[in-house]
Amino acid sequence: AKAAGKNRVAVFDYTLRAERLHHSEIAAGLRRALAAGEFSLAYQPVVDLATGGIHAVEALLRWTPAGGRSIPPDVFIPVAEDTGLIVDIGWWALEQACAEAKRWHERHGIAVTVNVSGRQLRERTFRETVMEILTRHALPRNALTLEVTESMLLATGPAETQRIVGILADLRAHGVRIALDDFGTGYSSLAYLRTLPVDILKIDRSFTTPLTGADHRQARAFTKAIVELAASLGLSTVVEGVESVEQAGVLQRMGCPLAQGYLFSPPIPPREVDDLLRATPWR
Ligand code: C2E
Ligand code: CA
Ligand code: CA
Ligand code: CA
């Protein structure tokens, strides 16, 4: 037993070191990535289920280190958070999204939605920087939606939560929309929603698959209840990760206004967004 224990410790140490190395390699790469122009944005359409029209596009970060393979955001964003690099990367993403989305808004009236990280949101100059970027790109405020998560609002205690809620409420009062991302994966009760300055709920992908699974009756009742409660609070809902026609049909019948997922389109480069907007394939 002792030998096995020792062994386990050795294996554990090895894994830990390997992860550290990985982490520090990613961190070093990230430090150079902005200046080297290695980031780009891919955009995924958010589709209006009633009309089949494109309502908005979500900007999703892509990192392709020079001469290497693209590294997924689920891998590099936690490292960017740990190192604080996410703040500059996040501002780059907002800036780039506003620049690229301007013509889509002008020609097709669609909004762009941009993910914000917790650290970026807690920056003292968050509000001013958002407003300044919008002004510089002459993008109407209602053409931008910021995506935040419940955990970001709750992470650092009631005083900080109140400060951040105040900032989001202020941005909202100026026309910027706020979406609560990954809804259903956090802790907050539905009643709590009423107190948050949000316009849109994004229901996490983990709710979508069960809609057409073995326990679909219960799953549908649950999602329908969220959609209806959101509507009664004046909020819109986006269901994420819609992969099948059957799922889209179920959501449409329960009155869910918006959906996003591979059924409609994966995240695509900006030039393909132009083609998609011209083609309006789901109308
Ligand atoms: P998210 O904000 O929840 O974004 C949705 C993720 O689901 C995206 O992964 C998207 O490609 C993927 N997805 C969309 N439709 C489907 C589907 O039908 N099926 C499946 N299986 N997946 C689908 P992606 O692009 O890898 O991004 C992962 C996460 O990284 C995002 O999750 C978000 O939390 C974070 N992220 C991405 N871009 C940014 C950014 O600019 N800033 C910050 N702070 N976080 C970002
Ligand atoms: Ca998101
Ligand atoms: Ca999400
Ligand atoms: Ca997510």
Side-chain angles (χ1 to χ4, degrees):
K2 208 173 180 188
K6 240 182 173 173
N7 229 343
R8 198 150 51 225
V9 168
V11 168
F12 180 66
D13 276 347
Y14 170 80
T15 315
L16 199 68
R17 212 173 300 131
E19 258 165 27
R20 284 258 168 74
L21 188 66
H22 197 49
H23 186 287
S24 67
E25 271 177 353
I26 293 171
L30 281 174
R31 244 168 240 124
R32 295 184 294 258
L34 260 185
E38 294 170 351
F39 290 114
S40 62
L41 294 177
Y43 294 89
Q44 188 177 36
V46 176
V47 176
D48 183 325
L49 283 173
T51 67
I54 298 176
H55 173 80
V57 287
E58 177 176 5
L60 293 154
L61 257 177
R62 296 292 176 258
W63 178 30
T64 313
R69 284 183 32 192
S70 164
I71 297 173
D74 288 333
V75 172
F76 73 79
I77 283 173
V79 180
E81 286 264 0
D82 282 356
T83 53
L85 293 165
I86 192 66
V87 174
D88 284 345
I89 297 170
W91 290 127
W92 177 87
L94 181 62
E95 184 95 51
Q96 183 75 3
C98 289
E100 290 177 332
K102 191 174 156 64
R103 70 173 183 279
W104 302 328
H105 184 260
E106 282 171 354
R107 290 181 197 165
H108 305 276
I110 66 159
V112 65
T113 100
V114 180
N115 293 280
V116 167
S117 82
R119 270 181 94 145
Q120 189 184 0
L121 187 58
R122 289 195 295 275
E123 286 275 282
R124 294 290 138 169
T125 53
F126 183 81
R127 196 195 78 91
E128 289 70 22
T129 309
V130 170
M131 297 298 277
E132 189 260 319
I133 289 173
L134 284 169
T135 305
R136 191 144 35 79
H137 291 277
L139 190 71
R141 288 153 182 172
N142 65 4
L144 176 68
T145 300
L146 297 175
E147 298 197 3
V148 303
T149 64
E150 298 163 77
S151 58
M152 281 174 206
L153 302 179
L154 300 172
T156 46
E160 183 67 353
T161 295
Q162 213 176 14
R163 188 182 73 82
I164 289 170
V165 163
I167 285 164
L168 295 178
D170 186 76
L171 283 168
R172 253 187 109 206
H174 283 88
V176 174
R177 294 200 176 88
I178 309 295
L180 202 56
D181 203 359
D182 302 342
F183 183 77
T185 61
Y187 313 95
S188 81
S189 71
L190 287 167
Y192 179 66
L193 265 184
R194 207 166 35 85
T195 67
L196 293 179
V198 300
D199 304 279
I200 300 157
L201 280 193
K202 297 196 74 171
I203 302 178
D204 190 70
R205 189 167 81 223
S206 56
F207 288 80
T208 310
T209 319
L211 291 176
T212 47
D215 261 341
H216 67 264
R217 287 174 66 93
Q218 198 193 10
R220 289 178 195 186
F222 198 67
T223 300
K224 188 161 186 270
I226 297 174
V227 169
E228 284 172 355
L229 179 82
S232 76
L233 294 171
L235 308 181
S236 189
T237 39
V238 181
V239 171
E240 297 188 304
V242 175
E243 294 181 352
S244 73
V245 174
E246 197 187 353
Q247 287 164 352
V250 167
L251 291 165
Q252 188 184 31
R253 285 193 295 279
M254 69 172 67
C256 175
L258 301 167
Q260 192 177 345
Y262 295 162
L263 170 66
F264 304 107
S265 171
I268 51 177
R271 104 193 100 71
E272 288 179 33
V273 175
D274 289 294
D275 300 339
L276 207 57
L277 286 169
R278 267 194 301 273
T280 61
W282 311 294
R283 252 215 246 273

